[in-house]
Amino acid sequence: MSCLFCKIIAREIPSDIVFENDHALAFRDIHPAAPTHVLVIPKKHVHGIAEAEEGDVEALGQVLLAARAVAAREKLEGGFRLAINNGPDAGQTVFHLHVHVLGGRAMSWPPG
Ligand code: 5GP
Ligand code: ZN
Protein backbone atom coordinates (compact mmCIF):
# COMPACT_ATOMS: atom_id res chain seq x y z
CA MET A 1 0.00 0.00 0.00
CA SER A 2 1.63 3.23 -1.12
CA CYS A 3 -1.00 5.77 -0.13
CA LEU A 4 0.13 8.02 2.73
CA PHE A 5 -3.36 8.50 4.16
CA CYS A 6 -4.18 4.78 3.92
CA LYS A 7 -1.02 4.27 6.03
CA ILE A 8 -2.33 6.81 8.55
CA ILE A 9 -5.64 4.88 8.70
CA ALA A 10 -3.66 1.66 9.27
CA ARG A 11 -1.57 3.36 12.00
CA GLU A 12 1.58 2.63 10.01
CA ILE A 13 2.27 6.38 10.17
CA PRO A 14 1.44 8.21 13.42
CA SER A 15 -0.98 11.12 13.42
CA ASP A 16 -2.82 13.27 15.94
CA ILE A 17 -6.31 11.79 15.55
CA VAL A 18 -9.24 13.95 16.68
CA PHE A 19 -12.21 11.90 15.41
CA GLU A 20 -12.83 8.41 14.11
CA ASN A 21 -15.81 6.25 13.24
CA ASP A 22 -16.40 3.29 10.92
CA HIS A 23 -16.34 5.48 7.82
CA ALA A 24 -13.98 8.38 8.44
CA LEU A 25 -10.83 9.47 10.23
CA ALA A 26 -9.85 13.02 11.19
CA PHE A 27 -6.35 14.09 12.23
CA ARG A 28 -4.41 17.32 12.57
CA ASP A 29 -2.58 18.61 9.51
CA ILE A 30 1.18 18.36 9.96
CA HIS A 31 1.60 21.91 8.57
CA PRO A 32 -1.36 23.82 10.02
CA ALA A 33 -2.61 26.79 7.99
CA ALA A 34 -4.96 27.97 10.77
CA PRO A 35 -5.20 27.55 14.57
CA THR A 36 -7.43 24.53 13.85
CA HIS A 37 -6.48 22.59 10.73
CA VAL A 38 -7.81 19.05 10.60
CA LEU A 39 -7.95 16.67 7.64
CA VAL A 40 -11.00 14.42 7.33
CA ILE A 41 -10.66 11.36 5.11
CA PRO A 42 -12.87 8.45 4.14
CA LYS A 43 -11.57 5.09 5.33
CA LYS A 44 -12.35 3.86 1.83
CA HIS A 45 -9.60 5.00 -0.54
CA VAL A 46 -10.98 7.57 -2.99
CA HIS A 47 -8.29 9.17 -5.14
CA GLY A 48 -9.83 12.64 -5.25
CA ILE A 49 -13.13 14.39 -5.75
CA ALA A 50 -12.68 14.26 -9.55
CA GLU A 51 -12.51 10.46 -9.40
CA ALA A 52 -15.46 10.04 -6.99
CA GLU A 53 -18.23 7.81 -8.26
CA GLU A 54 -21.82 6.94 -7.40
CA GLY A 55 -20.51 4.15 -5.21
CA ASP A 56 -18.61 6.71 -3.13
CA VAL A 57 -21.71 8.65 -2.09
CA GLU A 58 -21.80 7.05 1.37
CA ALA A 59 -18.10 7.76 1.96
CA LEU A 60 -18.45 11.37 0.78
CA GLY A 61 -21.47 12.02 2.97
CA GLN A 62 -19.83 10.44 6.00
CA VAL A 63 -16.76 12.65 5.52
CA LEU A 64 -18.93 15.77 5.64
CA LEU A 65 -20.70 14.56 8.77
CA ALA A 66 -17.31 13.80 10.33
CA ALA A 67 -16.17 17.33 9.42
CA ARG A 68 -19.22 18.67 11.25
CA ALA A 69 -18.28 16.60 14.30
CA VAL A 70 -14.72 17.93 14.17
CA ALA A 71 -15.94 21.54 13.99
CA ALA A 72 -18.15 20.94 17.04
CA ARG A 73 -15.39 19.23 19.03
CA GLU A 74 -12.92 21.97 18.18
CA LYS A 75 -15.54 24.53 19.25
CA LEU A 76 -15.32 26.51 16.01
CA GLU A 77 -18.36 28.58 16.97
CA GLY A 78 -17.06 31.60 15.04
CA GLY A 79 -17.20 29.64 11.82
CA PHE A 80 -14.99 27.35 9.83
CA ARG A 81 -14.13 26.52 6.26
CA LEU A 82 -14.13 23.15 4.48
CA ALA A 83 -11.81 22.83 1.49
CA ILE A 84 -11.15 20.06 -1.00
CA ASN A 85 -8.20 20.64 -3.32
CA ASN A 86 -8.25 18.82 -6.62
CA GLY A 87 -5.45 18.68 -9.15
CA PRO A 88 -2.32 20.78 -9.64
CA ASP A 89 -3.96 24.21 -9.92
CA ALA A 90 -5.60 23.69 -6.53
CA GLY A 91 -2.38 22.39 -5.00
CA GLN A 92 -3.50 18.82 -4.28
CA THR A 93 -0.48 16.93 -2.96
CA VAL A 94 -2.00 13.80 -1.42
CA PHE A 95 -4.16 11.59 -3.62
CA HIS A 96 -6.54 10.19 -1.04
CA LEU A 97 -9.60 12.41 -0.86
CA HIS A 98 -9.47 14.73 2.15
CA VAL A 99 -11.50 17.63 3.43
CA HIS A 100 -9.56 20.38 5.17
CA VAL A 101 -11.36 21.77 8.23
CA LEU A 102 -9.92 25.22 8.90
CA GLY A 103 -10.93 27.47 11.75
CA GLY A 104 -9.91 29.58 14.70
CA ARG A 105 -9.28 32.70 12.65
CA ALA A 106 -11.11 34.83 10.10
CA MET A 107 -10.89 33.41 6.58
CA SER A 108 -10.47 35.64 3.55
CA TRP A 109 -12.49 35.19 0.39
CA PRO A 110 -11.71 34.38 -2.36
CA PRO A 111 -8.98 31.98 -1.24
CA GLY A 112 -5.53 32.49 -2.74
P1 5GP B 1 -3.61 18.90 -0.20
O1 5GP B 1 -2.54 19.91 -0.54
O2 5GP B 1 -3.40 17.60 -0.97
O3 5GP B 1 -5.00 19.43 -0.28
O4 5GP B 1 -3.41 18.59 1.35
C1 5GP B 1 -2.53 17.64 1.85
C2 5GP B 1 -2.29 18.04 3.29
O5 5GP B 1 -1.72 16.92 3.95
C3 5GP B 1 -1.33 19.20 3.46
O6 5GP B 1 -1.98 20.28 4.15
C4 5GP B 1 -0.17 18.61 4.28
O7 5GP B 1 0.32 19.51 5.24
C5 5GP B 1 -0.81 17.39 4.91
N1 5GP B 1 0.10 16.30 5.15
C6 5GP B 1 1.01 15.79 4.26
N2 5GP B 1 1.65 14.76 4.82
C7 5GP B 1 1.15 14.60 6.07
C8 5GP B 1 1.42 13.69 7.14
O8 5GP B 1 2.26 12.78 7.04
N3 5GP B 1 0.71 13.83 8.29
C9 5GP B 1 -0.25 14.81 8.43
N4 5GP B 1 -0.90 14.86 9.59
N5 5GP B 1 -0.53 15.68 7.45
C10 5GP B 1 0.16 15.59 6.28
ZN1 ZN C 1 -5.50 6.00 0.41
Side-chain angles (χ1 to χ4, degrees), residues 13-95:
I13 292 173
S15 69
D16 186 357
I17 292 168
V18 298
F19 177 87
E20 180 171 25
N21 64 18
D22 287 346
H23 308 280
L25 182 74
F27 52 94
R28 295 194 192 283
D29 196 292
I30 205 164
H31 292 126
T36 292
H37 187 175
V38 172
L39 301 173
V40 186
I41 64 175
K43 287 194 168 172
K44 174 186 179 185
H45 179 93
V46 179
H47 205 64
I49 197 71
E51 290 82 11
E53 299 172 346
E54 198 71 28
D56 299 321
V57 163
E58 172 77 10
L60 295 174
Q62 290 288 346
V63 162
L64 289 179
L65 284 179
R68 181 192 66 175
V70 168
R73 283 191 185 183
E74 296 288 311
K75 301 190 175 15
L76 301 178
E77 287 110 352
F80 57 92
R81 179 166 295 163
L82 305 183
I84 300 175
N85 294 321
N86 195 92
D89 277 359
Q92 184 181 10
T93 57
V94 178
F95 295 90

